[in-house]
Amino acid sequence: MQTPAEYDIRDISLADKGKKRTEWAFQSMPVLQSIRKRFISTQPLAGIRIAACLHVTTETANLMTTLRDGGAFVALCASNPLSTQDDVASTLVRDCGIPVYAIKGENNEVYYSHISAVLDHRPQITMDDGADLVTTLHTKRQDMLADVLGGTEETTTGVIRLRAMAKQGILRYPIVAVNDALTKHFFDNRYGTGQSTIDGIIRSTNILLAGANFVVAGYGWCGRGLAMRARGAGANVIVTEIDPIKAIEALMDGFRVMPMSDAAEIADVVVTVTGNKAVVGREHLGRFKNGAILSNSGHFNVEIDLEALERVASSRRTVRDFVEEYVMRDGRRIYVLAEGRLINLAAAEGHPASVMDMSFANQALSVEHMIKNHSALERKVYSVPEPIDKEVARLKLDAMGIKIDRLTAEQEQYLASWSEGT
Ligand SMILES: NC(=O)c1ccc[n+]([C@@H]2O[C@H](COP(=O)([O-])OP(=O)(O)OC[C@H]3O[C@@H](n4cnc5c(N)ncnc54)[C@H](O)[C@@H]3O)[C@@H](O)[C@H]2O)c1
C-alpha cells in the first residue's frame, strides 16, 4: 500500500498501535464487515472522490477502508479538534493509503485548514459529522460545489444546521441524514453516548458516581442514555429540559426534573447534551457548589458558556489531563472537562465499535444510495431510506445470532384491515 504524498498527522510511528486497535474494533463491526465484502466484489463506489470530516477513531478507520475497498478515493479530516486518535490517523496514512489531516489538540485555525486540505481533493461526496465540511464548501469554497453529487450527515446538530440551510434555499446538493435512521439514533445516541460519556468523565476525573448528584441537561436520545447509565452507576440523576413532553418522560422514567438554576445549587456533576448554546450560562455560575464538575457531550463546545466563566473567575489552571480548575472570586472552585468539548471523544475513545457498526453501515449504504440516486434527488435533507435502515437491523440481528418472529399471512391481513375489530 502506498503512503499518500500529502497528509498532516502527529507521528507516523504511532501506526503499529493504531493498526492493532483498528483491527480490534473491526471484530465488533460485523455489519460493516459484510458490506465491505459486498463492496469489494461489486465496486459500487468506483472512481468516486469522498471527503470525510468525522471523529478520527478506530471505527471511522474501518468505515474509510470499507469505502476505499468499494472503489472510492477517500480523504479524511477531524470533525472536532480534540477527537482525533493520533495512532489511528497514522495507520490510515501508512497502512491504508488514505490522506488524513487531523492532529489531536489542533487549534481552530489548523482545524479549518485541515477541512480545506480535504476539500482540495475536489470531493463528489461529502461525509460530515456536524456539517463543518458542507458549511465551509458553501461559504469559502463555492468553486468546488459544481463537482459535488451529494453528501451524508452523521449527527443531530449537523442535521439541524443542514435543514436550516435547505429551508433558506441555500443548500446546493442533496444530503442523507444518517442520524435520522432508527438504527443510528436509537442505539448510537442513546447507548453509545450514555456509556462513553460516563467513560470520559471517569477517565478524566476518577470520581465516584455512586451517591453523586448528576445533572443531565437535555433528555433527548443522548440524554436518555446518559441518565440511564448514570443511574446504573448509583448517581442521583437530575434532568433539566425545555420541552414539557421530554420533562414528563424523564419524570416518569424516575428522574428528578428541575430548572438548571435549581439543579446548579446541588450538582456534583453537570453534563450538557442538548445541541443548544449557553445551557450552563452566566446566571448559573454563581450558584454552583465548591468542586462542581461541568462537562459537555453535545456536538459543539458552546453548551457551557466558557467565556462567561473566564470573565468571572479569578484564576485558572490545569489540574489533570482534560480537567481545568476555575477559582471564583468567592473562593469556590469549578472544574471544566475537556474545554467543554465532547467529553466521550476527548477523554475516552468515543462510542464502542459494536454500536458504531450500525451507524457506519448506514453511512456506507447511504453513500451507495446517493451515488445511484443523486440525479433524482433535490437540494434537500433526506432521511435514510427505510429499506436501508431495516437491512442494517436485520444484518445486526443475524450477526448476533438472534432470530425474531415473522408476521403470518393472517396477521398481515388483520393489520391491514379496518373492519376486523372484535
Ligand atoms: N457525544 C457524542 O458522541 C454524540 C453522539 C450523538 C449526538 N451528539 C450530539 O449531542 C447533542 C444532542 O443530540 P440528541 O440526539 O440527544 O438530540 P435530541 O434533539 O434528541 O435531544 C436534545 C434535547 O435537548 C433539549 N434541550 C434543548 N435546549 C435545552 C436547554 N436549554 N436546556 C435543557 N434541555 C434543552 C431538547 O428539548 C431535547 O430534548 C447534539 O449536539 C448531537 O449532535 C453527541
Side-chain angles (χ1 to χ4, degrees):
M1 187 65 63
Q2 278 193 331
T3 303
E6 268 195 26
Y7 55 89
D8 191 18
I9 59 174
R10 163 103 41 218
D11 178 0
I12 196 87
S13 73
L14 299 171
D16 284 344
K17 183 177 173 205
K19 184 166 188 281
K20 282 187 226 149
R21 290 203 316 112
T22 299
E23 287 166 359
W24 169 261
F26 203 44
Q27 294 175 57
S28 299
M29 303 181 87
V31 181
L32 198 64
Q33 283 176 27
S34 71
I35 293 170
R36 185 183 195 177
K37 216 182 256 174
R38 178 170 67 75
F39 275 14
I40 288 170
S41 63
T42 60
Q43 294 290 292
L45 318 183
I48 295 289
R49 296 185 302 277
I50 300 176
C53 178
L54 299 171
H55 302 300
V56 182
T57 63
T58 52
E59 296 79 16
T60 297
N62 288 315
L63 173 61
M64 295 298 103
T65 50
T66 299
L67 300 173
R68 180 205 61 188
D69 290 349
F73 167 84
V74 192
L76 173 68
C77 64
S79 55
N80 184 292
L82 277 188
S83 64
T84 298
Q85 296 171 8
D86 290 315
D87 57 337
V88 173
S90 307
T91 185
L92 278 168
V93 169
R94 191 195 70 181
D95 306 316
C96 311
I98 292 174
V100 180
Y101 307 87
I103 298 172
K104 185 168 181 122
E106 60 196 13
N107 63 27
N108 263 2
E109 197 186 323
V110 175
Y111 173 75
Y112 280 103
S113 77
H114 283 160
I115 288 183
S116 199
V118 158
L119 292 176
D120 286 342
H121 292 282
R122 302 203 73 89
Q124 293 158 293
I125 296 284
T126 60
M127 184 176 275
D128 242 323
D129 185 335
D132 282 347
L133 207 53
V134 176
T135 50
T136 305
L137 256 175
H138 280 71
T139 51
K140 301 195 182 83
R141 304 296 299 270
Q142 288 151 327
D143 55 308
M144 306 251 162
L145 280 166
D147 284 356
V148 184
L149 310 174
T152 62
E153 169 55 53
E154 171 78 6
T155 198
T156 317
T157 285
V159 173
I160 290 170
R161 294 176 87 190
L162 294 166
R163 291 219 156 99
M165 287 173 78
K167 200 168 166 199
Q168 282 178 31
I170 54 172
L171 184 66
R172 293 276 300 278
Y173 57 85
I175 303 273
V176 175
V178 169
N179 190 68
D180 284 1
L182 303 185
T183 47
K184 199 279 185 181
H185 66 263
F186 271 20
F187 307 103
D188 168 319
N189 300 32
R190 183 165 36 173
Y191 300 109
T193 312
Q195 177 170 312
S196 61
T197 299
I198 300 277
D199 185 13
I201 291 169
I202 291 176
R203 285 201 209 190
S204 54
T205 62
N206 198 27
I207 57 165
L208 182 71
L209 293 183
N213 286 334
F214 190 101
V215 178
V216 176
Y219 202 65
W221 288 105
C222 295
R224 288 180 183 106
L226 180 56
M228 186 197 306
R229 291 295 172 253
R231 174 161 61 192
N236 298 311
V237 179
I238 296 160
V239 169
T240 74
E241 252 298 344
I242 45 100
D243 178 334
I245 299 170
K246 302 279 181 59
I248 299 173
E249 187 186 358
L251 202 66
M252 294 206 179
D253 283 345
F255 301 111
R256 279 194 288 169
V257 176
M258 61 183 78
M260 181 59 83
S261 50
D262 294 345
E265 294 191 348
I266 49 175
D268 295 305
V269 182
V270 178
V271 188
T272 51
V273 257
T274 68
N276 206 345
K277 67 186 289 198
V279 177
V280 173
R282 166 79 187 84
E283 68 276 26
H284 306 123
L285 297 175
R287 296 175 174 259
F288 287 113
K289 292 191 302 188
N290 182 38
I293 293 171
L294 309 184
S295 175
N296 169 53
S297 212
H299 188 77
F300 284 119
N301 60 336
V302 295
E303 303 211 12
I304 301 165
D305 188 345
L306 290 176
E307 282 173 24
L309 185 54
E310 288 282 353
R311 279 197 305 275
V312 299
S314 59
S315 69
R316 170 187 167 175
R317 66 178 179 138
T318 305
V319 290
R320 289 169 62 101
D321 288 351
F322 305 112
V323 185
E324 207 67 7
E325 178 187 77
Y326 291 81
V327 181
M328 303 290 109
R329 298 209 175 92
D330 59 10
R332 282 173 308 126
R333 288 158 207 272
I334 294 177
Y335 296 96
V336 175
L337 306 189
E339 303 166 19
R341 297 190 189 276
L342 300 146
I343 183 66
N344 61 331
L345 283 140
E349 294 175 62
H351 298 352
S354 164
V355 85
M356 291 314 293
D357 188 26
M358 287 188 281
S359 307
F360 283 169
N362 276 293
Q363 281 283 8
L365 297 179
S366 295
V367 168
E368 183 183 29
H369 168 78
M370 184 59 79
I371 290 166
K372 273 193 202 144
N373 299 292
H374 66 90
S375 52
L377 299 177
E378 295 172 44
R379 296 167 172 186
K380 291 199 316 207
V381 179
Y382 291 87
S383 292
V384 173
E386 195 182 326
I388 291 184
D389 210 353
K390 286 263 162 69
E391 173 71 355
V392 171
R394 197 187 56 74
L395 288 169
K396 189 73 174 173
L397 281 176
D398 279 356
M400 295 191 290
I402 306 286
K403 297 198 174 14
I404 59 171
D405 289 323
R406 279 176 189 274
L407 286 174
T408 62
E410 194 189 358
Q411 286 171 334
E412 263 186 57
Q413 193 188 338
Y414 177 77
L415 291 175
S417 155
W418 60 268
S419 57
E420 290 191 59
T422 50

